[in-house]
Amino acid sequence: MRTSRLEAFSDGVLAIIITIMVLELEIPHEPTWSGLAESATGFLTYALSFVYVGIYWSNHHHMFQVVEQISGAVLWANLHLLFWLSLLPFTTAWMDETSFEQTPTIVYGLNLLLAAIAYYGLQLTIFAGPGGERLRTALGVDLKGRLSPVIYLVGIALSFLASWPAVAAFVTAALVWLVPDRRVERFLRDERDLA
Amino acid sequence: MRTSRLEAFSDGVLAIIITIMVLELEIPHEPTWSGLAESATGFLTYALSFVYVGIYWSNHHHMFQVVEQISGAVLWANLHLLFWLSLLPFTTAWMDETSFEQTPTIVYGLNLLLAAIAYYGLQLTIFAGPGGERLRTALGVDLKGRLSPVIYLVGIALSFLASWPAVAAFVTAALVWLVPDRRVERFLRDERDLA
Amino acid sequence: MRTSRLEAFSDGVLAIIITIMVLELEIPHEPTWSGLAESATGFLTYALSFVYVGIYWSNHHHMFQVVEQISGAVLWANLHLLFWLSLLPFTTAWMDETSFEQTPTIVYGLNLLLAAIAYYGLQLTIFAGPGGERLRTALGVDLKGRLSPVIYLVGIALSFLASWPAVAAFVTAALVWLVPDRRVERFLRDERDLA
Amino acid sequence: MRTSRLEAFSDGVLAIIITIMVLELEIPHEPTWSGLAESATGFLTYALSFVYVGIYWSNHHHMFQVVEQISGAVLWANLHLLFWLSLLPFTTAWMDETSFEQTPTIVYGLNLLLAAIAYYGLQLTIFAGPGGERLRTALGVDLKGRLSPVIYLVGIALSFLASWPAVAAFVTAALVWLVPDRRVERFLRDERDLA
């Protein structure tokens, strides 16, 4: 099966998730700077979730550059990942509307954790399929992929004390991914050089 | 006519349907676990409709791998399918908001049934067109395609007794499709082997 | 300039327009058939606008199969068309919520008229550009394209008497387009046969 | 890395931004022309933001026709641009709902300014990467790109006096971009002629 249509569909879903979150941003009631300031947390959580969806899109994009054929199992592992990401507008809005109350913050962390697990599951499914060895070699020891769930768990644990350290953990895990990751690019270049 | 733009448009519509359903999920009023629990049925119906749209996307994807040319009739049969699927966010939200009252549950089942009939109509339209014979051979006896409408009808009938068995029927019909279906893949491989 | 990205962007916008209209459909207040019946006009106007966006997508698709190069002017003429189509969810919702009051019905007709004029402007812009002669030959005397605005004007005029004949006119104009139109297909086949 | 998927994702996000703004347009409360007139400013700001997103799409499209390879930095500079553009539905709705109060008008101008800066940052990032020299040659002295932020700043300054001159400035900056810009087309033609 060709990867192009799976990529196009995933791009579509991720583009919509990243964009409809703005519909959950509440328009300030007062036409003033202090009115806008009340929306400030909404703006920050919007930016955080925007960056997360951007990270997943970027990683997804890199991963499927190495994949050449997809099976039905990969297709469903991919939908599983999209499912958890599609809940981000919901968990983001809840955390924001309650101004980072404990439960919504935990739920947001759980959403990030479940998306990370789904992403890991997608990787394993590709590893097990035809050509999976190639991706495994390209990714090597996936340090970041292993670190992220740990940070989310730390964040969830911290949220039992207070919400801000939890949010700080979620921001940290995002920053880790912003550091450029050249594994796939290097792998493709090496492969080309060998050929 | 090329199939690529029809596929791209269908992917776009399905990606939007699958994603905007999250906008119908009501944000819990209380920032507590019991507040979230009240949204639990919404979450389950969201997951169910998400899986259904995923199934249609996957089947659509498989079907059009075998189709090479499309006529105007196929184009409208495809829009007919997208029409019924586009109503899923509406019927899902209604069933959820009323906590599975009888009428909304029947209407949800009817929506699934009408989408299944539209999908069957799309198949027949492709069969009748140029190259249709090829898809007919690839699909063989479409057991699942024939079974699903029966399960929906059983579900609709059950909803006159109670809503939960009806929902169980709708879940069952989805599970049937999750079992991997390798007809198209096998057909394309056999064809390649013969060439 | 390549047409592929203009087609992809237009497909995206049309896919979103056709799908988000469902968000304007009001969930019935009562979980009963009579509650659903109150949403019935909403359902009908939704179906009508769905068909219209489908018609524009189909015509757009056909037209750009014959176009090979696009200029900046075509790009803006295309955005002009998308602008009027993007207002359909708004005018549809207004007409529906007021149960076909006179002014909203006229405004819906005007929206259809302005979209038709924008489509005609897009055709003229392509005619004037490189390779435009080819599209002009393929389309021939565009009877339907000339008839539709007349029907919209008749519908708008009728709405000063009552809304239902106006809506009937809008439905008629849609039905005219559902009759298959093989000009582009025939043109491309003839061209291929000549080569 | 291929540019095609970055273009497809950006097209998706821009298509959604340009279309969901219509969801923020309030349906008039009265089914009359004066009811519609109350929505008139909403309509105008909608048209303005529609044109701006159209301009960014058109410029983005032109720019990436000259770019052949993208690095991770370009990917994030592109997401940065999409982030500011994705806030346009929010700032547009606020400015409209408050009927052009001073603060929301300033915020709208800031949004335009930040998007322009992000676009400039995206250009610089591409210039610095592989093949960047080619885009630099194609764009030449980017007069419009330099002029726009100045006009936005003038608009923001004017909004301290009154809102209408500020909006007039934002409209002017849009009109500057509607004048066709043939740099990229000319560059690609010249290059082809040389080859």
Side-chain angles (χ1 to χ4, degrees), chain B:
Chain B
M1 203 188 297
R2 296 159 297 169
T3 64
S4 62
R5 212 178 150 188
L6 182 136
E7 287 182 278
F9 183 71
S10 307
D11 278 1
V13 171
L14 293 174
I16 299 156
I17 293 171
I18 215 170
T19 321
I20 62 171
M21 283 190 298
V22 81
L23 292 176
E24 308 270 18
L25 269 184
E26 230 177 312
I27 311 289
H29 298 299
E30 297 296 311
T32 57
W33 292 104
S34 64
L36 187 65
E38 282 172 33
S39 299
T41 59
F43 183 79
L44 291 178
T45 54
Y46 176 70
L48 181 60
S49 295
F50 191 99
V51 168
Y52 266 113
V53 179
I55 288 167
Y56 274 103
W57 175 72
S58 164
N59 288 348
H60 195 271
H61 180 95
H62 276 88
M63 184 158 68
F64 278 92
Q65 280 197 296
V66 185
V67 179
E68 266 153 16
Q69 264 197 316
I70 52 165
S71 61
V74 170
L75 201 146
W76 282 104
N78 188 57
L79 277 167
H80 181 227
L81 170 64
L82 295 179
F83 177 74
W84 292 112
L85 292 176
S86 79
L87 287 174
L88 272 181
F90 172 79
T91 52
T92 303
W94 196 31
M95 182 169 71
D96 164 39
E97 278 184 21
T98 63
S99 304
F100 302 98
E101 286 268 359
Q102 185 187 305
T103 310
T105 307
I106 295 171
V107 169
Y108 185 77
L110 286 174
N111 196 348
L112 291 179
L113 182 64
L114 287 162
I117 291 171
Y119 190 81
Y120 188 62
L122 175 58
Q123 271 189 0
L124 290 185
T125 314
I126 296 175
F127 286 170
E133 205 52 51
R134 197 160 162 251
L135 178 63
R136 198 195 296 263
T137 314
L139 293 181
V141 182
D142 189 3
L143 255 185
K144 285 183 187 179
R146 288 185 189 175
L147 188 61
S148 302
V150 175
I151 307 183
Y152 301 145
L153 280 171
V154 169
I156 292 168
L158 285 171
S159 64
F160 285 96
L161 301 171
S163 288
W164 288 101
V167 174
F170 304 151
V171 170
T172 307
L175 291 178
V176 167
W177 283 103
L178 288 185
V179 177
D181 182 350
R182 300 225 165 76
R183 278 174 297 165
V184 167
E185 274 143 324
R186 210 178 299 128
F187 172 78
L188 288 174
R189 202 177 43 239
D190 290 357
E191 215 180 40
R192 219 178 305 123
D193 291 353
L194 279 176

Side-chain angles (χ1 to χ4, degrees), chain C residues 36-193:
Chain C
L36 187 65
E38 280 172 34
S39 298
T41 59
F43 184 79
L44 291 178
T45 54
Y46 176 70
L48 181 59
S49 295
F50 192 98
V51 168
Y52 265 113
V53 178
I55 289 168
Y56 273 103
W57 175 72
S58 165
N59 289 347
H60 195 271
H61 180 95
H62 276 88
M63 184 157 67
F64 277 92
Q65 279 198 296
V66 185
V67 179
E68 265 152 18
Q69 265 198 316
I70 53 164
S71 62
V74 170
L75 200 144
W76 282 103
N78 188 57
L79 277 167
H80 180 228
L81 169 64
L82 295 179
F83 177 74
W84 291 113
L85 292 176
S86 78
L87 287 173
L88 271 181
F90 172 78
T91 53
T92 303
W94 196 29
M95 184 170 71
D96 164 39
E97 278 183 22
T98 63
S99 305
F100 302 99
E101 285 268 358
Q102 186 187 304
T103 309
T105 307
I106 295 172
V107 168
Y108 186 77
L110 285 173
N111 196 348
L112 291 179
L113 183 64
L114 287 162
I117 291 171
Y119 191 81
Y120 188 62
L122 176 58
Q123 271 190 358
L124 290 185
T125 313
I126 296 174
F127 286 170
E133 205 53 51
R134 198 160 161 253
L135 178 64
R136 198 196 295 265
T137 314
L139 292 182
V141 182
D142 188 4
L143 255 184
K144 285 183 189 179
R146 288 185 188 173
L147 188 61
S148 302
V150 175
I151 307 183
Y152 301 145
L153 280 171
V154 168
I156 292 168
L158 286 171
S159 64
F160 285 96
L161 300 172
S163 287
W164 289 101
V167 174
F170 303 152
V171 171
T172 307
L175 291 179
V176 167
W177 283 103
L178 287 185
V179 177
D181 182 351
R182 301 227 164 76
R183 277 173 299 163
V184 167
E185 274 145 324
R186 210 177 300 129
F187 172 78
L188 288 174
R189 204 178 39 239
D190 290 356
E191 216 179 41
R192 220 178 307 124
D193 291 353

Side-chain angles (χ1 to χ4, degrees), chain D residues 7 9 11 18 24 33 37 48 51 54 59 67 77 81 85 88 122 130 133 136 140 164 179 185:
Chain D
E7 288 181 278
F9 182 72
D11 279 1
I18 216 171
E24 307 271 17
W33 292 105
L48 181 59
V51 168
N59 288 347
V67 179
L81 169 64
L85 291 177
L88 272 181
L122 175 58
E133 205 53 51
R136 199 196 295 265
W164 289 100
V179 177
E185 273 145 324

Side-chain angles (χ1 to χ4, degrees), chain A residues 7 11 15-16 19 22-23 26-28 30-33 43 46-47 50 55 57-58 60-62 65 178, chain D residues 1-2 5 9 13 16-17 20 24 72 75-76 79 82-83 86-87 90 93-94 97-98 101 103-104 106-107:
Chain A
E7 288 182 276
D11 279 1
I16 298 156
T19 320
V22 81
L23 291 175
E26 229 178 313
I27 310 289
E30 297 295 311
T32 57
W33 292 105
F43 183 79
Y46 175 71
F50 191 99
I55 289 167
W57 175 72
S58 164
H60 195 271
H61 179 95
H62 276 88
Q65 280 197 297
L178 288 186
Chain D
M1 201 189 298
R2 297 160 295 170
R5 212 178 149 188
F9 182 72
V13 172
I16 299 156
I17 294 171
I20 60 171
E24 307 271 17
L75 200 146
W76 281 103
L79 277 168
L82 294 179
F83 176 75
S86 78
L87 287 173
F90 172 78
W94 196 30
E97 278 184 21
T98 63
E101 285 269 359
T103 310
I106 294 171
V107 169

Side-chain angles (χ1 to χ4, degrees), chain D residues 41-100:
Chain D
T41 60
F43 183 79
L44 291 178
T45 54
Y46 176 70
L48 181 59
S49 295
F50 191 100
V51 168
Y52 265 113
V53 179
I55 289 168
Y56 273 103
W57 175 71
S58 164
N59 288 347
H60 195 271
H61 180 95
H62 276 88
M63 184 157 69
F64 277 92
Q65 280 198 297
V66 185
V67 179
E68 266 152 17
Q69 264 198 315
I70 54 164
S71 61
V74 169
L75 200 146
W76 281 103
N78 187 57
L79 277 168
H80 181 227
L81 169 64
L82 294 179
F83 176 75
W84 291 114
L85 291 177
S86 78
L87 287 173
L88 272 181
F90 172 78
T91 54
T92 303
W94 196 30
M95 183 169 71
D96 164 39
E97 278 184 21
T98 63
S99 305
F100 302 99

